[in-house]
Amino acid sequence: MTGRSAPRHPISRRQALGLLGLGAAAVTAGATGWATLGVSDTTRTASVLPSGEPLGLPPELASRQGQLAVDLTAAPGASLAGRPASAWGYNGSSPGPTLRLRPGDELAVRLRNGLDQPTNLHTHGLRVSPEGNSDNPFIHIAPGETFDYRIAIPDGHPPGTFWYHPHAHGYVADQLLAGLAGALIVDDAPEPAVSADRVLLITDTTLGAGGPAATDPATRMVGRQGELLLLNGLHRPVIPAASGELQRWRLINATTSRTLNLHLDAHPLTRIAFDGITLPTATGVDTVRLAPGNRADVLVRPDRPGTFPLTASTEPRRAMGMMGGPAVGGETEVLATLTTSGPARAPSALPTFPPGPAPDAGATTGARRLTFTMGMGGGMGPGGTGSGGQGMSFGFDGRAYDPVRTDQTVALGAVEEWTVSNPTPMAHPFHLHVWPFEVLADSAGTPTTGAPQDVVLVPAGGWVRLRIPFTVLPGRSVYHCHILDHEDAGMMASIAVR
Ligand code: C2O
Ligand code: CU
Ligand code: CU
């Protein structure tokens, strides 16, 4: 049994359970709720997820009087959406709590590492300092240790949808696949009222005994994907709505490898923000495309009673071109179901959301070229011995990540045009910390959003051209592929802005 199916015939729950290698007994157990079962043929323990439950939201922690002080413990034995599971989570849950902040706030996180491997915290997309005990990806917190983060959200930080996840090089994909991720929302002045403002955090997972299931180098090369696609830790939840309502969905692609195309049956999705930045114009779209790490805020305006699947199509990936290697992706799955009640009504009016900061208009002061490296054979420097397997080389410009080396040095105040090229046979999501970029063009002619973003998919055999203002926030940070098995294997590099 496979996960493949045509868009109109998404996999059934029974098939989904089959993906975990469970038999009929497991299906029965699953029907009564959540069960943890030993699976004799794989010696794995899999948690069986029921489907069709009402959507739950992760617990929410909001700042008060300019500060949000939270204790977060990253540890195994976490529940998924409030039920016991072998996931890894923050404070016992996956996704972890949603953190709500305002511009000018301080985020004080005491992170305790309850895992048996290093971890740390990255505030993906936030325009905050990468130095010291702020959003510093070079920090590694050893097992059993605690670290105090102090992250100052600048005044004037744009409101929007961001997220947090671990960033300890070599361990990121495992930790994300096991469930360590959470939403981070920046709120500003009151925005148009909506009847529901929902975080919809998408993860995928394969639960093994006590954590992520084991894998092999070939699978890491193409980027692992979990067998079950989850929304807020739930398998195919129901999103309730009433006809005539206006809902805001904050979609976060927190999967380790999947580029997702999201489609809601019979309703356009009105895209109002991308990567946390409110777009100059709201656009009704049939499909929202999210590379790993991307976010989109959409408005949904149900106008009649019914049941409407929200589907997710995973773009296919093949690491070795046409010549071999595993092909992954290509399936379409039901992510959730919008269930609308009440008599048919005219769709609610579209409010106007104040647009976020426009791309920096200053003169370009410099240019550079970066090239993804992925292939067989040696030639990689120190640090190339990540989890990618022997003889595989992942990196940029022929070099694997080395935390000590600084790969790019940029003068504070520069506005640069970067061409990121990808001679490899698969698309890579390029991500830069701290300094969002404007996408000028790519080799596939993908329409641009007109707003800064922080992850862009670089087409296989193609390129993207970016314009990056380095006008604020001096410090040293990283850029990398957001297929996190690639990042862990060395497809990351460092940048210092001084
Ligand atoms: Cu979400 Cu460095 O990543
Ligand atoms: Cu990031
Ligand atoms: Cu990659």
Side-chain angles (χ1 to χ4, degrees):
M1 182 174 295
T2 78
R4 306 289 165 92
S5 63
R8 294 282 152 203
H9 302 282
I11 57 169
S12 68
R13 181 171 149 271
R14 174 175 282 264
Q15 284 172 309
L17 295 171
L19 290 172
L20 290 170
L22 302 175
V27 172
T28 306
T32 62
W34 201 283
T36 300
L37 300 172
V39 182
S40 53
D41 59 336
T42 62
T43 69
R44 269 202 262 150
T45 301
S47 289
V48 180
L49 313 189
S51 301
E53 292 191 295
L55 180 82
L57 294 180
E60 204 169 277
L61 302 168
S63 65
R64 278 204 201 109
Q65 280 143 13
Q67 211 207 29
L68 177 57
V70 294
D71 284 5
L72 287 181
T73 297
S79 61
L80 280 169
R83 287 209 177 70
S86 56
W88 296 358
Y90 291 107
N91 298 351
S93 103
S94 171
T98 297
L99 309 180
R100 276 198 180 256
L101 297 154
R102 291 178 171 274
D105 281 354
E106 182 190 68
L107 172 62
V109 176
R110 169 161 289 191
L111 178 63
R112 199 180 74 78
N113 184 1
L115 306 169
D116 62 1
Q117 53 184 242
T119 192
N120 63 13
L121 185 76
H122 169 49
T123 53
H124 180 128
L126 284 192
R127 303 170 174 204
V128 296
S129 171
E131 298 277 275
N133 58 355
S134 186
D135 181 25
N136 182 342
F138 303 104
I139 289 165
H140 276 211
I141 307 167
E145 294 201 341
T146 292
F147 188 84
D148 283 313
Y149 285 94
R150 289 278 183 285
I151 299 170
I153 317 296
D155 287 322
H157 192 290
T161 304
F162 305 92
W163 63 299
Y164 62 92
H165 61 82
H167 217 289
H169 178 63
Y171 305 94
V172 184
D174 271 354
Q175 293 182 16
L176 199 74
L177 264 176
L180 287 166
L184 214 160
I185 309 296
V186 178
D187 287 316
D188 202 357
E191 290 185 332
V194 291
S195 41
D197 183 335
R198 305 185 190 282
V199 164
L200 298 181
L201 189 138
I202 306 163
T203 55
D204 58 353
T205 194
T206 302
L207 297 174
T215 189
D216 56 85
T219 306
R220 285 183 200 260
M221 190 159 191
V222 77
R224 273 176 291 171
Q225 62 183 53
E227 292 161 333
L228 282 179
L229 198 59
L230 302 174
L231 190 65
N232 293 350
L234 291 165
H235 184 228
R236 294 199 197 157
V238 167
I239 304 175
S243 303
E245 258 191 1
L246 177 69
Q247 298 202 354
R248 177 182 187 154
W249 293 359
R250 299 171 184 266
L251 298 158
I252 302 172
N253 184 351
T255 68
T256 49
S257 311
R258 298 176 187 240
T259 293
L260 298 171
N261 287 279
L262 304 171
H263 170 84
L264 178 61
D265 185 36
H267 296 73
L269 296 167
T270 305
R271 197 176 66 166
I272 57 166
F274 195 75
D275 277 359
I277 306 300
T278 308
L279 300 171
T281 42
T283 328
V285 291
D286 182 63
T287 299
V288 169
R289 186 192 201 205
L290 298 179
N294 279 143
R295 292 86 63 210
D297 290 33
V298 298
L299 299 178
V300 177
R301 297 182 298 154
D303 58 355
R304 72 200 105 135
T307 305
F308 309 101
L310 172 66
T311 54
S313 303
T314 301
E315 294 186 9
R317 308 186 299 288
R318 188 189 282 278
M320 305 293 286
M322 300 308 288
M323 303 311 289
V328 179
E331 59 274 72
T332 293
E333 298 159 78
V334 172
L335 186 57
T337 307
L338 175 71
T339 301
T340 313
S341 57
R345 289 224 178 133
S348 61
L350 259 193
T352 308
F353 286 76
D360 188 279
T364 302
T365 59
R368 32 193 109 200
R369 290 185 160 273
L370 267 57
T371 305
F372 282 103
T373 303
M374 176 176 137
M376 309 300 283
M380 303 295 276
T385 52
S387 44
Q390 258 194 335
M392 270 181 233
S393 47
F394 286 84
F396 282 93
D397 303 308
R399 301 190 292 195
Y401 175 67
D402 176 349
V404 175
R405 191 183 64 224
T406 295
D407 296 283
Q408 312 289 340
T409 304
V410 177
L412 183 66
V415 178
E416 295 201 341
E417 199 173 295
W418 285 19
T419 303
V420 183
S421 54
N422 175 13
T424 81
M426 66 184 288
H428 300 278
F430 177 82
H431 174 49
L432 171 64
H433 288 205
V434 182
W435 304 279
F437 46 75
E438 179 190 357
V439 179
L440 300 174
D442 75 9
S443 55
T446 310
T448 55
T449 63
Q453 63 192 71
D454 55 62
V455 177
V456 63
L457 197 66
V458 188
W463 49 266
V464 295
R465 247 178 46 237
L466 312 174
R467 192 162 181 283
I468 319 174
F470 295 98
T471 45
V472 287
L473 299 167
R476 187 165 173 268
S477 194
V478 292
Y479 55 88
H480 59 89
C481 177
H482 221 290
I483 292 176
L484 295 166
D485 278 313
H486 293 179
E487 180 273 303
D488 283 336
M491 200 176 262
M492 178 153 77
S494 63
I495 170 171
V497 177
R498 306 270 179 226

